[in-house]
Amino acid sequence: MTGTYRISQSDIAEQNAKALPALQEDYDALARRLARGGTDIETIAKAVAGFGVAIPSWGVGTGGTRFARFAGVGEPRNVLDKLEDCATIQKLTRATPTVSLHFPWDKNKDVRAVRQLGDELGLGFDAVNSNTFQDQADQQHSYKFGSLSHTDAATRAQAVAHNIECIEIGKVLGSKALTVWISDGSNFAGQQHFARALERYLESMRAIYAKLPDDWQVFIEHKLFEPAFYSTVIADWGTNYWAATQLGPKARCLVDLGHHAPNTNIEMIVARLIQFGKLGGFHFNDSKYGDDDLDAGSINPFQLFLVFNELVDAADRKALDVAPAYMLDQSHNVTDPVESLMSSAMELQRRYAQACLIDRARLEQAQAENDALMALDTLKSAFNTDVSPILGMARHRTGGAIDPLGLYRWSGYRRHKSNERPAQSKQSAGIV
Ligand code: RM4
Ligand code: MN
Ligand code: MN
């Protein structure tokens, strides 16, 4: 059972009515400004309205660090509560039409009921995620020393079976992809034979790949460190690309922005994967030091804009055979996760809208003439354009809130949920 409190469409309409006159004025002014450069604001507004990013089910719970988790109030208790929070995010932002479930965390006796609640709330199901990075209570073999690449065949088989089970659940949900991130790796030099570990991984992945329905994809997620600190089996995009290529056309690479060393040129990795036809999707978040899982664009919004620049450029050149899957992947200790997820979804829309504003002819000319300064200026002038009125208008037109954060706080949603969802005395360490 989920709770009863819902933010209503009439709440949204009532609050929007107050904000609309100022928004209209700003929108019209921006429309005139963009028209001077030959850009039709309506095209951008339509593109923004069509933008969607999946919410990870685990993201609506309060996250933690390796040291502690400080539980929030009114936290979701199960997958149904999580869907309810995801629906609230979608209702206000209209930017998050799908949810990405994670198993076994989101296990429910009745998968059909989960799907049904999604339908009722107007939510679709994006990629399903497997979890072989921690042991479950009823599990026979431990993942302490790895899962899909484990030295022990029975442990590998167990991890393969879990991934196949995720596909089965995903079929009921209407998902079309499986995301696989493994924590396999080593902490000591010499602990693991690099080549053999990767071979074992590939063999396990082949068994999973064989069970993918025809219209499914599998996304492989690389990560350079953590929880293993000396080496990880799928450490970087090179290894990821190799594995995806070995597996076949349904396998693609997933780029989690936090899974690279600081200062890595992530936008170029994106460009390369597009060029090689292997970009599967994203886990959006931001970081300063590692896999910090901070809100998208909260540390380096320019990098996020540059990633979208590559995506828009590729779409313009028709270089994307399949639209990449967008997902948020962030975990919080200090904010209300619903607020953080809303602001991250809007941050993605913002950088996407700005990437649509880039004067591509001017950029191309600057590149042809080796005019570095003009090339950067072309990007910067799009990046420096405040597209807020476009985002607000796109939301208003699709039934969302002009000011999602303001409306969320005004509604007292969290207070209502804290009454409906009795506190869980879970003060565990870690992200879950
Ligand atoms: C990992 C990775 C995965 C996510 C887990 C919880 O670092 O980003 O995508 O499922 O964290
Ligand atoms: Mn991730
Ligand atoms: Mn991560």
Side-chain angles (χ1 to χ4, degrees):
M1 266 302 287
T2 56
T4 49
Y5 176 72
R6 304 249 157 108
I7 295 173
S8 71
Q9 266 324 117
S10 64
D11 288 337
I12 295 176
E14 188 189 307
Q15 296 301 309
N16 278 2
K18 294 184 212 158
L20 190 58
L23 172 65
Q24 190 69 56
E25 216 174 281
D26 293 347
Y27 186 80
D28 293 343
L30 182 58
R32 283 194 294 276
R33 198 192 133 188
L34 295 180
R36 280 199 299 275
T39 302
D40 172 26
I41 197 168
E42 289 303 321
T43 313
I44 314 286
K46 265 200 211 98
V48 168
F51 180 90
V53 60
I55 299 278
S57 54
W58 63 95
V60 289
T62 317
T65 67
R66 287 191 289 125
F67 302 97
R69 197 184 87 90
F70 301 95
V73 294
E75 288 197 317
R77 297 156 298 180
N78 51 45
V79 63
L80 305 178
D81 283 350
K82 290 178 191 173
L83 288 184
E84 192 181 34
D85 284 355
C86 291
T88 301
I89 296 170
Q90 162 66 352
K91 193 174 238 174
L92 298 183
T93 64
R94 303 289 158 158
T96 60
T98 52
V99 185
S100 192
L101 295 194
H102 199 298
F103 298 101
W105 294 342
D106 292 326
K107 251 194 174 167
N108 190 285
K109 280 190 298 296
D110 187 356
V111 185
R112 262 164 241 288
V114 176
R115 166 102 191 231
Q116 206 183 328
L117 180 62
D119 289 346
E120 233 175 271
L121 295 170
L123 294 172
F125 292 92
D126 210 281
V128 285
N129 302 257
S130 58
N131 172 346
T132 58
F133 50 83
Q134 59 182 177
D135 288 346
Q136 306 304 322
D138 53 354
Q139 169 178 324
Q140 215 186 332
H141 306 282
S142 172
Y143 296 134
K144 179 172 176 182
F145 293 107
S147 58
L148 294 177
S149 78
H150 201 286
T151 48
D152 173 46
T155 310
R156 294 200 298 279
Q158 176 184 278
V160 167
H162 166 65
N163 276 276
I164 293 171
E165 190 193 358
C166 288
I167 297 174
E168 291 307 319
I169 299 172
K171 282 192 210 165
V172 179
L173 294 170
S175 294
K176 292 284 175 225
L178 167 74
T179 297
V180 181
W181 172 68
I182 53 160
S183 65
D184 299 27
S186 68
N187 279 296
F188 291 89
Q191 181 187 335
Q192 190 171 69
H193 190 283
F194 295 143
R196 285 183 197 134
L198 187 55
E199 279 304 335
R200 290 191 295 264
Y201 167 83
L202 191 66
E203 186 192 286
S204 298
M205 282 300 283
R206 282 197 211 280
I208 297 166
Y209 187 94
K211 299 287 183 190
L212 284 174
D214 286 346
D215 57 347
W216 272 55
Q217 297 183 87
V218 61
F219 300 140
I220 302 174
E221 185 175 355
H222 58 271
K223 180 171 178 176
L224 86 161
F225 83 112
E226 205 193 35
F229 290 121
Y230 170 66
S231 71
T232 57
V233 176
I234 306 296
D236 53 22
W237 77 274
T239 312
N240 193 339
Y241 175 75
W242 176 84
T245 309
Q246 293 291 312
L247 286 171
K250 289 186 217 161
R252 285 174 182 255
C253 309
L254 185 140
V255 178
D256 181 318
L257 271 69
H259 290 191
H260 306 88
N263 299 329
T264 298
N265 190 337
I266 297 173
E267 58 273 23
M268 196 169 80
I269 293 173
V270 172
R272 293 283 195 258
L273 288 174
I274 292 170
Q275 187 167 6
F276 304 157
K278 278 295 186 191
L279 180 66
F282 289 89
H283 277 179
F284 288 108
N285 51 42
D286 212 343
S287 64
K288 190 155 180 67
Y289 301 104
D291 191 27
D292 306 342
D293 282 336
L294 297 172
D295 287 12
S298 60
I299 301 281
N300 193 347
F302 190 53
Q303 173 182 261
L304 189 57
F305 162 78
L306 293 174
V307 166
F308 275 103
N309 170 38
E310 296 303 330
L311 290 165
V312 171
D313 170 75
D316 283 1
R317 291 184 291 114
K318 310 231 177 312
L320 285 166
D321 50 342
V322 185
Y326 295 154
M327 277 164 276
L328 294 171
D329 186 5
Q330 53 188 49
S331 176
H332 298 280
N333 224 347
V334 294
T335 62
D336 178 330
V338 167
E339 294 190 1
S340 263
L341 289 162
M342 288 200 296
S343 91
S344 287
M346 293 187 284
E347 175 72 17
L348 297 187
Q349 283 181 309
R350 178 178 300 277
R351 304 307 160 201
Y352 171 54
Q354 291 174 329
C356 292
L357 290 181
I358 295 168
D359 184 339
R360 304 230 162 246
R362 186 169 181 248
L363 181 61
E364 214 174 297
Q365 194 185 341
Q367 288 170 350
E369 293 168 1
N370 298 306
D371 192 340
L373 196 94
M374 204 51 75
L376 177 64
D377 183 71
T378 307
L379 295 181
K380 279 284 178 78
S381 71
F383 179 69
N384 289 329
T385 305
D386 181 7
V387 295
S388 306
I390 301 179
L391 309 192
M393 194 55 90
R395 275 193 297 275
H396 174 57
R397 288 175 180 171
T398 48
I402 291 174
D403 174 14
L405 287 175
L407 199 145
Y408 176 77
R409 291 205 174 184
W410 166 87
S411 74
Y413 180 87
R414 186 58 69 190
R415 185 170 34 81
H416 288 291
K417 292 300 148 192
S418 75
N419 294 332
E420 291 174 4
R421 302 170 181 167
Q424 311 273 290
S425 56
K426 206 171 115 198
Q427 288 287 356
S428 61
I431 58 167
V432 286

